[in-house]
Amino acid sequence: MAGGVVEKPAAHDKPRKHYLNHVKTFGSWLVTLDHKRIAMMYLCAVSFALLLGGVFALALRTVLWNGTPADPETSILGATMEQFYNKMFTLHGAVMVFLFIIPGIPAALGNFILPMQLGAKDLALPRINLLSWYLYVMGLVLFVCVLVLGGLDTGWTLYPPYSMGGGSQSQHVWHSLVLAYMAVFILGFSSILTGLNFIVTMHKLRPPGMGMYDMPLFLWALYATSLIQVLATPVVGITLGLSLIEHMFHVGIFLPQYGGDPVMYQHFFWFYSHPAVYIMILPAMGVQSEIMGTFSRKHIFGYKAIAWSSIAIAAIGFIVWGHHMFVSGQSPTAGIIFSFLTYLVAIPSAIKVFNWVATMYKGSIDLKTPMIYGLNFIYLFGIGGLTGLFLASISNNVHLHDTYFVIAHFHMVMVGSTVNAFLGGVHLWWPKMTGRMYNETLGRIGAILVFVGFNLAFMPQFVSGTRGMPRRYANYLEEFTTFHQASTVGAYILGAGIGLQVLYLLYSLFKGKKAPDNPWGAASLEWQSESPPDFHNFTKPPIMMGAYDYENWEYESEEAGWKLKPEVIETRKTLSKVH
Amino acid sequence: MSTGVADHETKHDLPARPPELAMHFDNMHQQFHSGKLGMWLFLGQELLFFCGLFTAYAVYRGNHQEMFHYVHYFLDWKLGAVNTVVLLVSSLTAAWSVRAAMLEQRKVLIFTLLATFICAGIFMVVKYFEYTHKLHIGAVWGGGFNVADADLPAELVAKYPDMTGAKLKEMGAGSFFAIYFCMTGLHGLHVLVGMGLYIWLLVRALKGDFNRRWYGAVDNVALYWHIVDIIWIFLFPMLYLIG
């Protein structure tokens, strides 16, 4: 895709060689070890997954426009309305979780930015990075096969006994499940390898003179994410491996009729999948920290608190999985302990929100597109986080379990926060990655559409949830009609906002203004490279300075962007490692 | 920045980069330790990968304590002990191969790599005989467990004369074999992967790829091999020696 970026040479000099055009063959992309190219391929793939998952979401919201169809035999694509709905919510969840949101920020944005923020030439293990990309592609292809075979209707959690029911399922669903287990297993290893590579890179390629506390907070967030990826993902790997064996040979690990224990599956699954929601949110918090500092033009407030709160969230995240199982037959004592531990997550999360707001205080706020996403994030994460406390309380949870309240809470955090941060991060780094500026006005309109659509889609669900609307039902009582129809309208507005972005971002690749090296006045090292960066990332060694020392930059013009002040260039030392 | 401009200048005067050094590293030390940290993290995820099975073992053993006691007689502790010794020897040769690579002792390196490979092979052959015997008498997972009374292990019959295959099935012996085959099967897969890696190392050693500057692959594969060994050290008593 990015091959479309062609430099228009000025009359007097040749087009500059950079990572996108230094070799142009298709094959050079397939076997590239360059973190920037792998990141761009990831960005295309996860964006595709986002759109695919989005189409499923719109399909299921469309079914829900009219919850009591006049003719129950209405068929869509050869299935009844109910069957179609079950497949749509399953595929929406599975595609969004496994293909978009887990790899989204780390593998696409992190892959590109992490080595550059360290002033390094690549990730420490480039071959592992390429392997991780191809594992992702295999997972993606397997998921597409699942779609072609007719899809799944088990819910993305793949709970037994329904999911491994063998004889009770149609042949199509049986085959789809085999592929789905393999897909998630393989995607897990892709995720593990990305995390492993990031940790090694941050330890071993951090230049002398840059301590852990000198890293941008995005890297701290990625570090915390990577810890979870390496330590939690293998558990879901073995779980799905066992599920596959159970599904095919009925060995009796999870299926009760063969002596297995289905609740053990839930324990195993959530031992990964709860930390996994922190794999989803932590990198988003990292992007958020970068956006807040840059567009408030103020040193990030409470650096160490934000850094350590990322690690704290990762650590606490490992001991709260039982809150998904309050009504699954877990012992009451375990329930109380998990409930208490779940409250603890609120502390580091609130520390972060406090620090972002404090960063804006008396800052010089510039409402560029990424900053609008940043504000969306704070608002929606605030609601998502606080409603999480409602659900952590065990007595409330029994009432709200499996209702739309949970759906709304989860989407506030995952879409309201992570997707907003992903989009904000894409806009923040788009000039660096592609060398082109997007249309700022359209960018702002898109961000506002996302905000309005999202709120309209999910705010009503909090209310219908508290009134007892259960999730995963294709039909509903008449009293819920208004809430559902508002949600459906909101979902389409959200879809329009994202569709608009796809259009203007693609347009900018061909017709966008040439991006300056530093269009925002951001201070981390990647902004000292050219836009788009050279194959070796930096053509001249970057000058070492704090990641939030915005006073070192001064605005020159729209074309030239921000430049380092001359006295900074004279007095500071360059990164001796980059030649 | 702790390194001053002077250091920066001298770095340029260092001898040419060794051919083994990848473009994005500054020196061999950094490259070696990056690979090694990566391998340690991989071993960490391996532990967590097996953790699910160890947890399942604990749950089923806790729920079926008597059954585990009766059924463990199906496993021949002598064969298990042989395999333990074989793997321990292979760990010694694996560690030795790292030293040989460091010291550029080419013959010792090739011999120790080959020895590790052969030990792994012996392990798999013994495992093959154990598996086929169990499949043959019907000592398998889930509902498929159906052992004729004549095929019950002699030691079990000697101690509990009125034990029958049907009773064991009733007690849920299928769960024991589900755990047994999953744990030893996954471990066996790791041994097979290790054998593949040792062939790869052998080919590279024969080509003379390793020297005192660069022996990272030998070191990292040996680390992997040790974790495979350690997992067996836990599996052996947990499955074979629980009488």
Side-chain angles (χ1 to χ4, degrees), chain A residues 95-120:
Chain A
V95 167
M96 283 297 199
V97 168
F98 296 118
L99 290 171
F100 166 63
I101 205 162
I102 287 178
I105 295 180
L109 299 176
N111 224 330
F112 196 105
I113 297 303
L114 182 143
M116 301 197 70
Q117 287 193 332
L118 294 173

CSV table of all heavy atoms in Angstrom, one decimal, chain A residues 95-120:
chain,number,residue,atom,x,y,z
A,95,VAL,N,-12.9,-11.4,15.8
A,95,VAL,CA,-12.1,-10.6,14.9
A,95,VAL,C,-11.5,-9.4,15.6
A,95,VAL,O,-10.3,-9.1,15.5
A,95,VAL,CB,-12.8,-10.2,13.6
A,95,VAL,CG1,-12.1,-9.2,12.8
A,95,VAL,CG2,-13.1,-11.5,12.7
A,96,MET,N,-12.4,-8.6,16.3
A,96,MET,CA,-11.9,-7.4,16.9
A,96,MET,C,-10.9,-7.7,18.0
A,96,MET,O,-9.9,-7.1,18.1
A,96,MET,CB,-13.1,-6.7,17.6
A,96,MET,CG,-14.0,-6.0,16.6
A,96,MET,SD,-13.1,-4.6,15.7
A,96,MET,CE,-14.4,-3.6,15.1
A,97,VAL,N,-11.1,-8.8,18.8
A,97,VAL,CA,-10.2,-9.0,19.9
A,97,VAL,C,-8.9,-9.6,19.4
A,97,VAL,O,-7.8,-9.1,19.6
A,97,VAL,CB,-10.8,-10.0,20.9
A,97,VAL,CG1,-9.8,-10.5,21.9
A,97,VAL,CG2,-11.9,-9.3,21.7
A,98,PHE,N,-9.0,-10.7,18.6
A,98,PHE,CA,-7.7,-11.4,18.3
A,98,PHE,C,-7.0,-10.8,17.1
A,98,PHE,O,-5.8,-10.9,17.0
A,98,PHE,CB,-8.0,-12.9,18.0
A,98,PHE,CG,-8.6,-13.6,19.2
A,98,PHE,CD1,-9.9,-14.2,19.2
A,98,PHE,CD2,-7.8,-13.7,20.3
A,98,PHE,CE1,-10.4,-14.8,20.3
A,98,PHE,CE2,-8.3,-14.3,21.5
A,98,PHE,CZ,-9.6,-14.9,21.4
A,99,LEU,N,-7.7,-10.2,16.2
A,99,LEU,CA,-7.0,-9.7,15.0
A,99,LEU,C,-6.8,-8.2,15.0
A,99,LEU,O,-5.9,-7.7,14.3
A,99,LEU,CB,-7.8,-10.1,13.7
A,99,LEU,CG,-7.9,-11.5,13.4
A,99,LEU,CD1,-8.8,-11.8,12.3
A,99,LEU,CD2,-6.5,-12.0,13.0
A,100,PHE,N,-7.6,-7.5,15.7
A,100,PHE,CA,-7.4,-6.0,15.7
A,100,PHE,C,-6.8,-5.5,16.9
A,100,PHE,O,-5.7,-4.9,16.9
A,100,PHE,CB,-8.7,-5.3,15.4
A,100,PHE,CG,-8.6,-3.8,15.7
A,100,PHE,CD1,-7.7,-3.0,15.0
A,100,PHE,CD2,-9.4,-3.2,16.7
A,100,PHE,CE1,-7.6,-1.7,15.3
A,100,PHE,CE2,-9.2,-1.9,17.0
A,100,PHE,CZ,-8.4,-1.1,16.3
A,101,ILE,N,-7.5,-5.7,18.1
A,101,ILE,CA,-7.2,-4.8,19.2
A,101,ILE,C,-5.9,-5.3,19.9
A,101,ILE,O,-5.2,-4.5,20.5
A,101,ILE,CB,-8.4,-4.7,20.1
A,101,ILE,CG1,-8.3,-3.4,20.9
A,101,ILE,CG2,-8.6,-5.9,21.0
A,101,ILE,CD1,-9.7,-3.0,21.5
A,102,ILE,N,-5.7,-6.7,20.0
A,102,ILE,CA,-4.5,-7.1,20.6
A,102,ILE,C,-3.2,-6.7,19.8
A,102,ILE,O,-2.3,-6.1,20.4
A,102,ILE,CB,-4.6,-8.6,20.9
A,102,ILE,CG1,-5.6,-8.9,22.1
A,102,ILE,CG2,-3.2,-9.2,21.3
A,102,ILE,CD1,-5.8,-10.3,22.4
A,103,PRO,N,-3.1,-7.0,18.5
A,103,PRO,CA,-1.9,-6.6,17.8
A,103,PRO,C,-2.0,-5.1,17.5
A,103,PRO,O,-0.9,-4.6,17.2
A,103,PRO,CB,-2.0,-7.5,16.6
A,103,PRO,CG,-3.4,-7.8,16.3
A,103,PRO,CD,-4.0,-7.9,17.7
A,104,GLY,N,-3.2,-4.5,17.5
A,104,GLY,CA,-3.3,-3.1,16.9
A,104,GLY,C,-2.2,-2.2,17.2
A,104,GLY,O,-1.4,-1.9,16.4
A,105,ILE,N,-2.2,-1.7,18.5
A,105,ILE,CA,-1.2,-0.6,18.8
A,105,ILE,C,0.2,-1.2,18.9
A,105,ILE,O,1.1,-0.6,18.3
A,105,ILE,CB,-1.7,0.1,20.1
A,105,ILE,CG1,-3.0,0.9,19.7
A,105,ILE,CG2,-0.6,1.1,20.5
A,105,ILE,CD1,-3.5,1.7,20.9
A,106,PRO,N,0.4,-2.3,19.7
A,106,PRO,CA,1.8,-2.7,19.8
A,106,PRO,C,2.5,-3.1,18.4
A,106,PRO,O,3.5,-2.6,18.1
A,106,PRO,CB,1.8,-4.0,20.7
A,106,PRO,CG,0.5,-3.9,21.3
A,106,PRO,CD,-0.5,-3.2,20.5
A,107,ALA,N,1.8,-4.0,17.7
A,107,ALA,CA,2.5,-4.5,16.5
A,107,ALA,C,2.5,-3.5,15.3
A,107,ALA,O,3.5,-3.6,14.5
A,107,ALA,CB,1.8,-5.8,16.1
A,108,ALA,N,1.5,-2.6,15.2
A,108,ALA,CA,1.6,-1.7,14.1
A,108,ALA,C,2.3,-0.4,14.6
A,108,ALA,O,3.4,-0.1,14.0
A,108,ALA,CB,0.2,-1.4,13.7
A,109,LEU,N,1.8,0.3,15.5
A,109,LEU,CA,2.5,1.6,15.9
A,109,LEU,C,3.7,1.3,16.7
A,109,LEU,O,4.8,1.9,16.5
A,109,LEU,CB,1.5,2.4,16.7
A,109,LEU,CG,0.2,2.8,16.0
A,109,LEU,CD1,-0.7,3.6,17.0
A,109,LEU,CD2,0.5,3.7,14.8
A,110,GLY,N,3.7,0.4,17.7
A,110,GLY,CA,4.8,0.1,18.5
A,110,GLY,C,6.0,-0.4,17.7
A,110,GLY,O,7.1,0.0,17.9
A,111,ASN,N,5.8,-1.3,16.8
A,111,ASN,CA,6.8,-1.8,15.9
A,111,ASN,C,7.6,-0.7,15.2
A,111,ASN,O,8.8,-0.7,15.1
A,111,ASN,CB,6.2,-2.7,14.9
A,111,ASN,CG,6.9,-4.0,14.7
A,111,ASN,OD1,8.1,-4.0,14.9
A,111,ASN,ND2,6.2,-5.0,14.3
A,112,PHE,N,6.8,0.3,14.7
A,112,PHE,CA,7.4,1.4,14.0
A,112,PHE,C,8.2,2.3,14.9
A,112,PHE,O,9.3,2.7,14.7
A,112,PHE,CB,6.3,2.2,13.3
A,112,PHE,CG,6.8,3.1,12.2
A,112,PHE,CD1,6.7,2.7,10.8
A,112,PHE,CD2,7.5,4.3,12.5
A,112,PHE,CE1,7.2,3.5,9.8
A,112,PHE,CE2,7.9,5.1,11.4
A,112,PHE,CZ,7.8,4.7,10.1
A,113,ILE,N,7.5,2.7,16.0
A,113,ILE,CA,8.0,3.8,16.8
A,113,ILE,C,9.0,3.4,17.9
A,113,ILE,O,9.9,4.1,18.2
A,113,ILE,CB,6.8,4.5,17.5
A,113,ILE,CG1,5.8,5.0,16.5
A,113,ILE,CG2,7.2,5.6,18.5
A,113,ILE,CD1,6.5,6.0,15.5
A,114,LEU,N,8.9,2.2,18.4
A,114,LEU,CA,9.7,1.8,19.6
A,114,LEU,C,11.2,1.9,19.3
A,114,LEU,O,11.9,2.6,20.0
A,114,LEU,CB,9.3,0.4,20.0
A,114,LEU,CG,10.1,-0.2,21.2
A,114,LEU,CD1,9.2,-1.0,22.1
A,114,LEU,CD2,11.3,-1.0,20.8
A,115,PRO,N,11.7,1.3,18.2
A,115,PRO,CA,13.2,1.4,18.0
A,115,PRO,C,13.5,2.9,17.7
A,115,PRO,O,14.6,3.3,18.2
A,115,PRO,CB,13.4,0.6,16.7
A,115,PRO,CG,12.3,-0.3,16.6
A,115,PRO,CD,11.1,0.4,17.2
A,116,MET,N,12.6,3.7,17.1
A,116,MET,CA,13.0,5.1,16.8
A,116,MET,C,13.0,5.9,18.0
A,116,MET,O,13.9,6.8,18.2
A,116,MET,CB,12.0,5.6,15.8
A,116,MET,CG,12.0,4.8,14.5
A,116,MET,SD,11.2,5.7,13.2
A,116,MET,CE,12.4,7.0,12.9
A,117,GLN,N,12.2,5.6,19.0
A,117,GLN,CA,12.2,6.4,20.2
A,117,GLN,C,13.5,6.0,21.1
A,117,GLN,O,13.8,6.8,22.0
A,117,GLN,CB,10.9,6.1,21.1
A,117,GLN,CG,9.7,6.8,20.4
A,117,GLN,CD,8.5,6.9,21.3
A,117,GLN,OE1,8.3,6.0,22.2
A,117,GLN,NE2,7.7,7.9,21.1
A,118,LEU,N,14.1,4.9,20.7
A,118,LEU,CA,15.3,4.6,21.4
A,118,LEU,C,16.5,5.0,20.6
A,118,LEU,O,17.7,4.8,21.0
A,118,LEU,CB,15.4,3.0,21.6
A,118,LEU,CG,14.4,2.4,22.5
A,118,LEU,CD1,14.6,0.9,22.5
A,118,LEU,CD2,14.6,2.9,24.0
A,119,GLY,N,16.3,5.6,19.4
A,119,GLY,CA,17.4,6.0,18.6
A,119,GLY,C,18.1,4.8,18.0
A,119,GLY,O,19.2,4.9,17.6
A,120,ALA,N,17.4,3.6,17.9
A,120,ALA,CA,18.0,2.4,17.4
A,120,ALA,C,17.7,2.2,15.9
A,120,ALA,O,16.8,2.9,15.3
A,120,ALA,CB,17.5,1.2,18.2
